[in-house]
Amino acid sequence: MSQEEVFEKEKRYMMPVYKRPRIVIESGRGAKVTDYTGKEYIDCVAGIAVNAVGYSHPVVLKALKEQADKLMHISNLYYTEPQVRLAEKLSAISGMAKSFFCNSGAESVEAALKLAIKTTGKHKFIATEGSFHGRTIGSLSATFGTRLRAVFEPLLVQDVKFVPYNDAAAIGAVIDKDTAAVILEPIQGESGVIVPSGGYLKAVRDICDDKGVLLILDEIQTGFGRTGKWFCKDHEGVEPDIMTLAKAMGAGFPIGAMLAKEGIEFEASEHGSTFGGNPLACATALAAIKVIEAEKLVARSKELGEYFMDAVGIGSNPIVKELRGKGLMIAIELTKPCAEIVADALERGILINCTSNNVIRLVPPLVISKDELDAVISVLRELIK
Ligand SMILES: *Cc1c(COP(=O)(O)O)cnc(C)c1O
């Protein structure tokens, strides 16, 4: 199929949900992807912080192929080994007790909301301004802002109060006797890599403990080494009651998980999923985690993130409002819309994207080489003048 045919058929047969640049990506290797014209790009979007171990990693592909040969799917009516191996591994790296597997971020948030209701017997939630937790009705109810919600309001779940992010006292002030849980991202991703002050998570944890409500941390974007720790909560040593995961978990294979600490769990039939934790997804995710460990990508994320911050040298630029981030989760907030810079970068073989109109977000594969990162830096320096 030609590139033009892809554009044409997309327009004709697909719902116009996504706005995308007019390139068709055909393949990827390491931190680079190639389009239909043979042009290569260094990818700082990484499938929205999904391809942490890069494209076509041989260890991941081997695990995927071997498992596909044996058994792709059987449902949760039967035991399978990849599932329990992955659950054991997740406990080891996260410190959480138990896992429930699903297929996406939004689904893990749904599971978290349900688990909080079932555990507390209460129905109210507190979320933060600027939050993004997903597009399903429940997760959307905890997502801030009219842009994503307006046409669907009133949502089915209305008991969510939004308070300013990075303000623990504001959470304390709205908790009442019907509050089940507080849900927040340790760094807000979609609203532009908003990094809260040190101590915020710990203060929220203390308030939740004090008032007897659960803390749900949404680590869907920040998890698996993205911020320079296995999970962003580890920067402050804060343990949530419930944690949601997806994105980088399966190295591009769709999988999500909702983890909880000891004593907080569903019982038989209280929740479920047909595909959730199927052997193919779990074997692939396990391989992805092993790659992150073997190649020390968590430390690499921290080092390369710090290197980028030092080297990019655009901090005192009139169109740069702020440079911020943790590990390889980086944002350059501009004083103007960034669409043009994103398009120019694409032209020069760099994929970056724009969150909330004027924020360039960089979440490259954690395997990106120093040379590739230098190439990104040099293009950004040129474009941000
Ligand atoms: C992407 C994301 C989600 C939603 O994940 P999907 O897999 O798109 O459903 C939820 N929360 C956060 C923090 C995310 O970044």
Side-chain angles (χ1 to χ4, degrees):
M1 205 181 279
S2 74
Q3 188 165 280
E4 287 309 317
E5 276 176 289
V6 173
F7 300 147
E8 211 175 279
K9 286 189 196 296
E10 193 261 3
K11 196 167 165 56
R12 178 144 178 204
Y13 295 113
M14 290 182 67
M15 296 196 189
V17 172
Y18 304 106
K19 214 173 100 196
R20 16 191 176 201
R22 289 176 75 78
I23 56 171
V24 182
I25 305 294
E26 182 163 46
S27 62
R29 191 153 293 270
K32 284 194 178 136
V33 295
T34 306
D35 75 10
Y36 264 40
T37 68
K39 180 172 171 179
E40 278 198 337
Y41 304 84
I42 300 172
D43 183 7
C44 292
V45 181
I48 319 185
V50 166
N51 300 307
V53 303
Y55 295 88
S56 308
H57 195 290
V59 172
V60 174
L61 290 186
K62 182 164 177 282
L64 178 75
K65 286 172 185 164
E66 280 177 9
Q67 186 58 47
D69 274 341
K70 275 194 248 172
L71 181 72
M72 277 168 65
H73 179 78
I74 188 70
S75 88
N76 288 301
L77 298 177
Y78 306 96
Y79 290 97
T80 54
E81 185 177 321
Q83 235 179 31
V84 296
R85 282 186 185 276
L86 178 59
E88 181 180 31
K89 189 77 199 175
L90 287 174
S91 284
I93 60 174
S94 73
M96 305 296 284
K98 291 187 178 177
S99 292
F100 170 83
F101 292 120
C102 52
N103 312 288
S104 69
E107 272 182 69
S108 67
V109 171
E110 293 293 330
L113 299 176
K114 279 180 76 176
L115 183 58
I117 292 170
K118 119 118 204 173
T119 303
T120 60
K122 299 171 181 180
H123 287 82
K124 283 191 181 170
F125 290 88
I126 295 166
T128 56
E129 292 172 9
S131 65
F132 181 84
H133 297 294
R135 311 269 194 165
T136 55
I137 291 282
S139 61
L140 188 61
S141 301
T143 293
F144 184 74
T146 52
R147 191 172 65 85
L148 304 179
R149 298 167 55 117
V151 276
F152 308 105
E153 286 183 329
L155 291 163
L156 300 180
V157 186
Q158 290 165 55
D159 278 344
V160 182
K161 268 212 172 76
F162 292 93
V163 299
Y165 191 60
N166 198 20
D167 181 350
I171 290 174
V174 297
I175 288 177
D176 67 23
K177 63 175 191 359
D178 299 317
T179 306
V182 173
I183 178 167
L184 52 85
E185 299 151 87
I187 292 176
Q188 289 185 335
E190 293 307 297
S191 63
V193 189
I194 311 296
V195 185
S197 337
Y200 173 61
L201 287 186
K202 193 156 187 330
V204 174
R205 176 72 272 182
D206 289 346
I207 288 168
C208 288
D209 285 341
D210 191 42
K211 307 237 178 183
V213 308
L214 300 178
L215 174 60
I216 302 169
L217 284 186
D218 181 346
E219 293 247 19
I220 289 168
Q221 191 158 151
T222 50
F224 298 100
R226 175 55 55 193
T227 71
K229 293 272 186 192
W230 268 107
F231 300 97
C232 197
K233 70 180 178 65
D234 301 335
H235 289 286
E236 289 195 27
V238 166
E239 299 305 327
D241 299 290
I242 299 173
M243 180 159 85
T244 55
L245 300 173
K247 290 209 162 87
M249 184 173 170
F253 199 94
I255 184 169
M258 186 265 304
L259 278 52
K261 70 182 194 192
E262 202 64 59
I264 299 180
E265 61 187 6
F266 288 123
E267 276 148 63
S269 308
E270 285 180 342
H271 197 50
S273 167
T274 299
F275 289 125
N278 94 7
L280 192 57
C282 289
T284 308
L286 198 56
I289 294 171
K290 285 185 175 158
V291 169
I292 294 173
E293 274 181 330
E295 300 186 8
K296 303 190 167 47
L297 297 181
V298 179
R300 186 178 174 77
S301 172
K302 179 174 188 299
E303 279 157 31
L304 287 185
E306 284 166 2
Y307 172 75
F308 180 94
M309 292 294 198
D310 287 343
V312 72
I314 51 173
S316 60
N317 184 303
I319 71 160
V320 176
K321 192 168 163 209
E322 193 183 24
L323 174 66
R324 57 177 178 257
K326 241 186 187 139
L328 282 173
M329 184 169 181
I330 296 166
I332 305 167
E333 180 166 352
L334 304 179
T335 54
K336 59 169 202 175
C338 49
E340 201 180 308
I341 289 173
V342 169
D344 289 346
L346 184 95
E347 198 61 38
R348 292 174 194 223
I350 309 282
L351 298 184
I352 50 178
N353 89 328
C354 213
T355 64
S356 69
N357 190 45
N358 64 327
V359 180
I360 295 171
R361 175 177 51 182
L362 301 146
V363 283
L366 307 182
V367 296
I368 191 170
S369 72
K370 191 103 174 304
D371 285 351
E372 286 163 338
L373 199 60
D374 282 335
V376 172
I377 288 170
S378 106
V379 167
L380 284 174
R381 289 174 80 128
E382 252 177 75
L383 294 180
I384 301 175
K385 276 216 191 98

